[in-house]
Amino acid sequence: LANGGLVAIINAAAATRETDQDAFLPRYLILFILTVILFILTRQYVLLQSVVCSEGLVSHLRARIADRIRQSELATFDRLEKTQVFVTLSDNTTKMSQAALPIFNSAGSGVMLLFCLGYMYVLSHLAFVITIVLMVASVMHFLQMNRRMEGCLQDAYKQEKSFFIAIRN
């Protein structure tokens, strides 16, 4: 919301300049500075809370996995592939923890994108349509590249698993 407020303040100040109402500019400058401060403070708070939340979820997940291992019968545990358990406990939960910050940043950026698209629609329907078409094309390209990368990551995962098996033996 603060990010959207910045855009609104900049546009209002620009409109004021066009109508030669320079008396309002100091008010817009003060509003701009206050909104920037609000943006910085809320962003830091949200980032801190996202880290706390994600670390709590990862810690809970690790505890659940460890608890299930403790509650399993020894024969069942012996049939498990030990490398899979260790990879899950270490690598996969770490990846989840590292992914939390970009997810929260993306959510904030998504809200700002929606506000900007709505504002663009009000200003120019043609610019809105062109932007949407370019965004859809970009997403389609990204998804295509992502499918290729998933194949590469699966290969890397298999190699890592083989590596752990080799170390264990």
Side-chain angles (χ1 to χ4, degrees):
L1 291 176
N3 207 353
L6 289 172
V7 173
I9 291 168
I10 290 169
N11 283 332
T16 301
R17 284 296 278 174
E18 291 175 3
T19 60
D20 290 332
Q21 296 176 345
D22 290 340
F24 291 111
L25 288 180
R27 181 181 352 161
Y28 287 125
L29 178 63
I30 291 169
L31 280 173
F32 181 79
I33 291 170
L34 290 174
T35 307
V36 166
I37 291 169
L38 177 67
F39 174 76
I40 291 169
L41 291 176
T42 55
R43 184 169 178 86
Q44 287 176 342
Y45 176 77
V46 167
L47 291 178
L48 176 66
Q49 291 304 311
S50 69
V51 168
V52 168
C53 179
S54 65
E55 289 300 322
L57 288 172
V58 168
S59 176
H60 178 72
L61 179 63
R62 283 182 176 157
R64 265 186 46 207
I65 292 170
D67 191 45
R68 285 188 177 179
I69 290 170
R70 278 194 303 269
Q71 290 177 0
S72 68
E73 293 181 21
L74 185 58
T76 305
F77 184 72
D78 283 341
R79 284 193 303 265
L80 287 176
E81 196 172 331
K82 306 306 184 279
T83 56
Q84 180 67 35
V85 174
F86 295 125
V87 167
T88 301
L89 281 174
S90 64
D91 193 37
N92 292 345
T93 52
T94 302
K95 286 177 186 173
M96 288 174 51
S97 176
Q98 291 171 347
L101 192 60
I103 288 171
F104 282 101
N105 283 334
S106 296
S109 296
V111 169
M112 185 60 190
L113 178 65
L114 290 176
F115 278 115
C116 288
L117 286 173
Y119 186 63
M120 186 181 295
Y121 182 78
V122 169
L123 292 178
S124 169
H125 295 337
L126 178 61
F128 175 79
V129 169
I130 291 170
T131 302
I132 293 297
V133 168
L134 289 174
M135 286 174 60
V136 167
S138 298
V139 167
M140 300 279 286
H141 177 70
F142 170 79
L143 291 174
Q144 181 184 20
M145 297 303 289
N146 193 43
R147 273 187 240 113
R148 288 183 192 166
M149 289 303 299
E150 283 180 6
C152 293
L153 288 174
Q154 286 296 328
D155 291 342
Y157 181 74
K158 288 175 185 174
Q159 289 177 0
E160 182 181 36
K161 209 168 151 182
S162 298
F163 174 72
F164 280 125
I165 289 170
I167 288 176
R168 197 181 80 206
N169 293 335

